[in-house]
Amino acid sequence: MNTDKTLLLDKLKDYYTEIFEKELIDEIVNVGIYRTIESGGTLIDIGDNMTHIPLILNGAIKIIREDKNGDEIALYFLEKGDTCAISFVNCLNRSKSMFRGVAEKETEGIFVPVNKVDEWLKKYETWRHFIIDSYHVRLIEMVEAIDSLAFMKLDNRLLKYLTDKVKIMQDYTLIITHQEIADDINTSRVVVSRLLKKLENEGKLKIRRNRIIIENI
C-alpha cells in the first residue's frame, strides 16, 4: 500500500472502521481524496458543482443558507463522523449547491466521488444506512433551524446558538464577533450586542474584544 493510501486508512480507522465493513473501507481508501480546510476556509460554496461528498474526520463545518439579498442563516454543523447528506442529493441530481459550508476550525475530510456514492448504495448495507441516517439527522436539524427562526424568541435563539457553538468548538471561550453572531442567527449586530450585554449582566457570560467567555449557560 502506498503512502497516500496508508494515510487515508489511518485517518479512517479513528471512526469509520467501526461502522463500515473492510471492503467498503478499502474502496474509500482507493478513491477518496484527503483534504484539510483551514479555519474560515470554504468547503463548498453556493452555485458550486457537486462532484464529491465529504466524510468529516475532525473539525467542524458550518452549513449556511443565503437569500437573494445576501442575508445568511446558519442551518447546522457537520462534525467528526458526519457527511452532508444534502450534498449527496445534489450530487445525484447533478445540481449545483444551494448551501455554503465554512470551516469553524481546521477540518479534515475524505472526499468521495459521486459515482461511487451512488454505486455503494446498492452494494453496501452499512453505506446505505449511513446515508439514510445522515439525511434524517440533517433534516431534523433544518426543521429545528426553521422552528427556531419562526417560533423562538430572539434571546432564546441566541442562547441556543451559543450553547451549540460551545459544543461544536469544545471550548467555552468563543473567538467570534457580534456581527458574525448576527449573521448566523439572521438579526442585526446592535440587537446581538444588546442581548449579549443582558446575558453578561445576568452572569451567564463575559464579553471581551472579539471573544465571548461562556460561564453559566
Side-chain angles (χ1 to χ4, degrees):
M1 185 178 293
N2 63 37
T3 302
D4 289 343
K5 290 184 178 180
T6 300
L7 172 64
L8 288 183
L9 183 58
D10 287 343
K11 295 289 185 181
L12 286 165
K13 277 182 178 178
D14 190 35
Y15 179 86
Y16 291 97
T17 51
E18 297 179 6
I19 59 175
F20 296 147
E21 57 266 74
K22 181 181 182 302
E23 293 78 9
L24 177 53
I25 290 292
D26 289 342
E27 288 210 48
I28 294 172
V29 167
N30 284 330
V31 303
I33 300 170
Y34 170 78
R35 280 181 57 197
T36 299
I37 304 166
E38 295 182 358
S39 178
T42 301
L43 170 73
I44 187 74
D45 208 348
I46 296 167
D48 284 355
N49 290 316
M50 306 294 297
T51 59
H52 294 70
I53 70 164
L55 301 177
I56 304 299
L57 300 168
N58 282 297
I61 299 290
K62 178 172 63 180
I63 302 299
I64 300 165
R65 177 67 174 151
E66 182 180 281
D67 69 13
K68 62 183 180 181
N69 297 318
D71 294 326
E72 299 179 348
I73 186 169
L75 296 177
Y76 54 83
F77 295 89
L78 301 178
E79 302 177 80
K80 178 180 178 179
D82 286 340
T83 189
C84 188
I86 294 174
S87 296
F88 164 71
V89 173
N90 286 142
C91 283
L92 291 184
N93 293 333
R94 301 299 194 271
S95 56
K96 296 182 183 296
S97 173
M98 298 183 296
F99 304 95
R100 177 177 298 115
V102 178
E104 289 286 275
K105 55 184 176 180
E106 185 177 88
T107 299
E108 296 177 286
I110 293 179
F111 291 77
V112 176
V114 62
N115 62 308
K116 288 296 181 180
V117 172
D118 195 14
E119 176 187 320
W120 294 343
L121 278 176
K122 306 178 184 72
K123 192 173 181 181
Y124 298 109
E125 185 178 5
T126 57
W127 179 258
R128 190 161 59 250
H129 287 167
F130 174 70
I131 292 297
I132 292 171
D133 289 347
S134 298
Y135 190 83
H136 178 67
V137 170
R138 299 289 87 80
L139 182 60
I140 289 173
E141 288 176 331
M142 286 186 65
V143 170
E144 288 178 347
I146 293 168
D147 284 349
S148 173
L149 188 61
F151 306 120
M152 192 178 288
K153 291 182 179 179
L154 192 55
D155 53 350
N156 291 330
R157 280 171 52 201
L158 176 58
L159 279 173
K160 181 180 184 302
Y161 172 84
L162 293 174
T163 302
D164 290 345
K165 189 85 167 178
V166 164
K167 178 184 174 184
I168 291 294
M169 301 304 291
Q170 298 180 347
D171 194 336
Y172 286 94
T173 299
L174 302 177
I175 311 301
I176 193 167
T177 66
H178 294 193
Q179 185 61 58
E180 288 171 325
I181 296 173
D183 290 341
D184 282 348
I185 65 174
N186 195 26
T187 189
S188 71
R189 181 191 60 77
V190 173
V191 170
V192 166
S193 296
R194 175 173 55 81
L195 291 175
L196 287 173
K197 189 63 181 177
K198 178 175 178 287
L199 292 173
E200 184 176 44
N201 291 337
E202 293 172 356
K204 293 181 177 179
L205 52 81
K206 290 181 180 177
I207 302 171
R208 299 292 183 266
R209 182 175 177 81
N210 292 339
R211 71 184 61 207
I212 296 170
I213 304 168
I214 306 300
E215 296 193 324
N216 189 28
I217 289 181

